[in-house]
Each structure stands twice: as C-alpha cells, then as structure tokens.
Amino acid sequence: MGKITGFMEFERLEEGYRPVPERLKHYKEFVVRLTDEQAGVQGARCMDCGTPFCNSGCPVNNVIPDFNDLVYRQDWKDAFTVLDSTNNYPEFTGRICPAPCEAACTLNVNDDPVGIKSIEHAIADKAWEQGWVQPRIATIKTGKKVAVVGSGPAGMAAAQQLARAGHDVTLFEKNDRIGGLLRYGIPDFKLEKFQIDRRVEQMKAEGVTIRTGVMVGKLPKGSRVTNWAKETISPEELRAQFDAVVLTGGAEQSRDLPVPGRDLEGVHFAMEFLPQQNKVNAGDKVKGQIRADGKRVIVIGGGDTGSDCVGTSNRHGAKSVIQFELMPQPPEQENKELTWPYWPYKMRTSSSHEEGCEREFAIATKEFVGENGKLTGLKTVQVEWKDGKMAEVPGTEKVYEADLVLLAMGFVSPVATILEGFGVDRDNRGNAKATTDFDGGYATSVPGVFAAGDMRRGQSLVVWAIREGRQAARAVDEYLMGFSDLPR
C-alpha cells in the first residue's frame, strides 16, 4: 500500500491551524486541510503491513490501507467510494474523531503514525466539492415503517441505512434541529453546522421523514437536559404506529458535583453553556445566555467537553480560563511497548488549550463559595492516588477566584424516564440493555424496540455512534424482513 519505502522517506505532516488571534474572533472552522499533494505523501507513508491494525482500531472498520493507497495515487473518487462504504459521515469523523486508527497504526510502534484522519478529512471534503456525494434512493419499498428516536450520529446513521434498505423511516428529535451533540454540543469552530445540514438534505432525498421539536416520552421534572420540544408523543403511540422503533438518544444526564454551594449563581453544566452559543451562531436569540465575557472561568473536567468550554470561553473574551482535572497529569509520551495498538494514556493538548488556558491536575473541588447568592470562587485540595483510591493531600487547600464554573465531567446515563416509558430493561449503568451480537443484536427486552449509540453503550465517541447506528439498522432490517443486505 502506498509507496513501498514511503514510511522511511517521508515524515508525518499535521494539518495546520489559523493563527490564534485570528480564529478567536469567530466561530468558524480554522483547520487548514492538507493539499492534494500533501495528502498523497501521507498516503505514501502507509506500510504494506501484513495485518493492518488501523482497520480494527477504527470502530467503523474503515478500509484504511486501501484509501491511503488510492490517495497516494491521486485516485480521489475511488478513495471516496472505499471510505463511503463503511462510514456514512466521514466529514464528521475527519474533523472530530480522536483517531484511534492512528494509535493502532503499525508505524506508530516506533515512529509517528500515518496521518489517517487528515487523509479522511481531505477525501470527504473533496467528495462534496466534486459532487460525488449523492442520495442513494431505494429502488424497492418494503412497506415497513420504522421510527428512529434521537438524531445524533447514531440516529442519523440508522435512519439513513434503513431508508436505503427501502423502509419508511421517520427520525424524531426533541430539539429544533437535527444533529444531537453534533449540533448542540460540538462548537462550530470544530464542526460548522452546514456539514450536518447538507447530510439532512441527502437523507430527506433518500426518503427519511424528519420531525423536529417532538419529545418522545417525557423528561423528569427539573431536568436540565436540552429540550426545545413543542410536541409530545408517547412511547405507546409510537409503537402502535411503527413496525419497529430504534432508540438512539444520547447519554444526556450530566455528571454533577454535589458539594456545598452548588446552587450558587454562576455554576452551570457544560451542556447548558455550549448549546446556547451554537444556537446564537445559528441566528437564534437566547434570553439570558450564559456568557464568559470578562469573567474568571474555571472548567471542571479535563476531557473534550471541557476543552470545548475553554475554546468557547476564550471566544467570549474571558478574563482567565483554568481547567481542572481530578486525575494526575499524564506522561508526555506513552509507553508504546505497553499500549500499542490500543488507545494510549498520555498528555493531550487541544487547539483550545493552545488558545489560552491554565491546566491543573490532581485537584478536587471541596466547595463553591459566594456572596449574595453569586459565585466568587471555589475551595480546592490536591489529591493523590494510591492503590486505585483517591486521598487528599494535607496542607494543599487553596481558594480559586471564579465568576463562572462549567461542569464538564462527562455523562452518566440516558434519561431514565424515556427508557421507562418503553419498558426497556436497563443495565447496571442505567443504559438500555441490548447486546451487539450478530443474532438479535441491538434488540432490547421489548419486541420491536432496538437501542444503539450512547443510549446503549453510554458516553462515547461520534465514530462509535455511527458504527452502532449502522449495525442497529442491519439488525432492524433482519427483524423486519428475515434477512438483510445492509453492511454491518
């Protein structure tokens, strides 16, 4: 694959970024895509390895060596055909996937891996530019009706695959636009929303009926889950109207931090903060928008959501931004002999961190403090980990000044009342209980009701959501027709 000696001749080339002062002035994407020639050189680095671990490292099992070789040969259309065969939305994963495929790259054993993600990004964008992305309309209709509940990447993939199999598919979304966390979680500077909109138009052309602003089931009272629904439909009505139902909502229950002072004004979940800015970017007016302008911001949580809060706060014009992480600081370089080909534990610095952010590790918040009901700071303590248990370090107590705290500590489970409405059994983490077996996979305890994505596996990556949506679509197709020609 690629050039036989390419991995010895060429070095890894990263995609570039627009300068920080320039990109902080807007919410547009700022990654500079590789040129055709640069992408070809990266494709040339792909080794002719006997077992391409990148394929299995990729949750959707992209046929990576094949499209690397095709890009090296500048055969872009065939490269897109290969990529499109396994991934419904490579323009999403080429932007926001952390690239477990690169961690699994054979070249990564003792060198820098092939720039697989940048190649995927280049292929997907060129496909749209050249008009190769076209609706695939089913030639034969089955007469079967399927409801897909939740329009994140899992729901989008499931709905699209089922429509291509000839079923009448209706995609339900409680919010006012399609996309789930792609729409109202991922900031526009990482994924501009026209990327979603044009896929929605493709899905409509393929026969998917889209209904936004519809809440299936109900949210518990006082829930902080984003919901702009104007209409409600019960699980019983949905099951009566459709031959199968696929639950593809997210794990939307944010992990809270129940310490003294949690109810002070100025302490918010990340998923209260981020969706509002995305709505403003879309031209909506948001009353009482949570803003970071001129504020001392502390983000609690060291993952991608926390990083997104950092980038958005800096674009608001925050006075300062600090990010807390409970775990100790990871090593700068992973132990490849120990971790390869699996996802390594190592220090990761995002583009948002580079825009301005202080990072604190092994730190725990003990209390939020304030005056007259408003946040003014928080009390912290350093922690250390021994035998898998956390212990406070005596004498390390400290008070940080803060006007805004954003809780970005991950998500614990789907909304329980929705699963209860369908009578679906849940696992010990509160997710919909369903296996991924070839026989009967993704089926819940309720006949005709399936679950996929974060609602089944818990908080995860966009690429895992696409995989589960595709595989669940095949399982539903088999349930309805007795067989399926859809890829798994």
Side-chain angles (χ1 to χ4, degrees):
M1 298 299 170
K3 186 178 182 182
I4 293 176
T5 56
F7 69 95
M8 295 187 291
E9 297 177 33
F10 307 119
E11 295 183 354
R12 177 183 170 93
L13 177 64
E14 301 279 356
E15 291 178 314
Y17 295 147
R18 298 292 181 192
V20 170
E22 174 187 325
R23 68 193 197 226
L24 285 179
K25 296 178 181 177
H26 60 76
Y27 292 88
K28 302 291 185 182
E29 292 179 16
F30 53 82
V31 173
V32 180
R33 197 177 90 198
L34 298 183
T35 65
D36 290 2
E37 292 73 20
Q38 289 171 335
V41 170
Q42 280 306 293
R45 296 184 71 237
C46 186
M47 303 172 69
D48 189 10
C49 52
T51 302
F53 288 90
C54 56
N55 286 16
S56 55
C58 171
V60 292
N61 302 122
N62 281 335
V63 192
I64 294 166
D66 286 20
F67 69 62
N68 282 344
D69 181 56
L70 290 163
V71 168
Y72 163 60
R73 301 176 190 282
Q74 297 294 293
D75 186 350
W76 290 90
K77 191 169 185 179
D78 281 348
F80 172 67
T81 299
V82 171
L83 180 56
D84 184 59
S85 69
T86 56
N87 187 350
N88 293 62
Y89 311 115
E91 65 272 28
F92 301 165
T93 51
R95 286 168 164 79
I96 59 176
C97 180
C101 55
E102 293 187 7
C105 175
T106 302
L107 190 55
N108 192 44
V109 172
N110 60 358
D111 200 347
D112 293 325
V114 175
I116 300 167
K117 180 179 175 179
S118 61
I119 293 173
E120 182 174 353
H121 183 185
I123 295 170
D125 282 11
K126 183 172 283 291
W128 280 104
E129 292 163 3
Q130 297 298 320
W132 299 333
V133 184
Q134 295 294 325
R136 287 158 53 183
I137 301 169
T139 55
I140 300 174
K141 301 293 286 185
T142 65
K144 301 291 185 179
K145 297 171 65 178
V146 183
V148 179
V149 181
S151 72
M156 290 178 66
Q160 186 166 54
Q161 292 295 95
L162 287 164
R164 290 173 175 177
H167 303 303
D168 293 324
V169 182
T170 302
L171 180 59
F172 291 89
E173 170 57 53
K174 69 179 183 300
N175 295 322
D176 55 352
R177 295 180 177 91
I178 293 296
L181 282 181
L182 292 172
R183 175 76 65 177
Y184 289 126
I186 306 295
D188 290 36
F189 54 80
K190 290 176 66 176
L191 179 73
E192 291 187 54
K193 305 317 174 199
F194 77 86
Q195 306 280 356
I196 306 171
D197 295 335
R198 59 189 182 184
R199 282 296 185 179
V200 170
E201 292 306 310
Q202 181 195 30
M203 291 167 64
K204 288 179 178 178
E206 292 172 341
V208 177
T209 300
I210 292 176
R211 293 183 60 184
T212 56
V214 180
M215 181 70 206
V216 176
K218 61 181 179 180
L219 292 174
K221 289 184 178 181
S223 172
R224 298 191 183 189
V225 170
T226 305
N227 178 21
W228 291 293
K230 297 179 179 179
E231 179 185 349
T232 301
I233 184 170
S234 71
E236 293 79 13
E237 291 176 281
L238 211 63
R239 292 191 63 203
Q241 295 173 19
F242 292 88
D243 298 299
V245 177
V246 191
L247 304 178
T248 56
E252 295 184 278
Q253 298 277 26
S254 297
R255 182 173 283 107
D256 208 345
L257 186 57
V259 298
R262 170 64 179 86
D263 57 348
L264 288 169
E265 181 182 337
V267 182
H268 300 276
F269 285 122
M271 290 310 298
E272 295 175 283
F273 176 68
L274 295 173
Q276 291 183 354
Q277 185 57 55
N278 285 4
K279 284 187 70 67
V280 170
N281 292 344
D284 297 348
K285 292 184 178 179
V286 177
K287 186 177 180 180
Q289 182 189 1
I290 302 166
R291 298 281 308 182
D293 313 64
K295 294 180 180 178
R296 297 161 296 184
V297 179
I298 293 181
V299 179
I300 300 180
D304 290 338
T305 303
S307 174
D308 294 342
C309 289
V310 170
T312 301
S313 296
N314 280 325
R315 281 161 180 75
H316 283 186
K319 181 178 180 180
S320 63
V321 183
I322 304 174
Q323 186 176 22
F324 286 178
E325 169 56 64
L326 188 64
M327 301 300 291
Q329 182 171 337
E332 289 292 334
Q333 181 63 49
E334 75 271 30
N335 183 341
K336 292 186 177 183
E337 293 182 353
L338 181 66
T339 62
W340 181 88
Y342 302 109
W343 186 248
Y345 177 65
K346 67 176 182 178
M347 185 71 170
R348 302 178 193 278
T349 300
S350 72
S351 58
S352 291
H353 293 139
E354 293 170 353
E355 293 165 359
C357 174
E358 182 181 341
R359 303 169 75 180
E360 296 286 348
F361 293 89
I363 187 169
T365 299
K366 298 283 288 180
E367 180 183 353
F368 297 111
V369 295
E371 296 177 1
N372 301 319
K374 291 187 177 182
L375 177 76
T376 59
L378 62 169
K379 296 180 181 178
T380 68
V381 65
Q382 294 295 130
V383 297
E384 59 183 0
W385 296 83
K386 294 181 179 179
D387 300 323
K389 296 181 179 180
M390 184 184 76
E392 296 181 4
V393 179
T396 62
E397 294 80 5
K398 182 177 179 180
V399 176
Y400 284 81
E401 294 181 331
D403 308 298
L404 176 63
V405 167
L406 300 170
L407 304 179
M409 302 176 295
F411 306 87
V412 293
S413 67
V415 177
T417 53
I418 295 174
L419 295 179
E420 289 170 357
F422 281 94
V424 170
D425 289 347
R426 289 175 283 162
D427 62 20
N428 56 12
R429 296 185 299 158
N431 302 320
K433 192 174 183 179
T435 71
T436 59
D437 298 338
F438 276 85
D439 184 17
Y442 297 94
T444 69
S445 58
V446 179
V449 178
F450 297 76
D454 287 6
M455 185 163 278
R456 191 205 68 82
R457 65 179 287 117
Q459 175 191 359
S460 192
L461 305 175
V462 168
V463 68
W464 273 105
I466 295 172
R467 170 198 173 107
E468 295 224 341
R470 286 171 61 89
Q471 292 191 347
R474 179 182 172 93
V476 173
D477 192 32
E478 288 179 336
Y479 168 78
L480 294 173
M481 307 303 294
F483 71 97
S484 180
D485 290 327
L486 288 174
R488 192 177 192 274

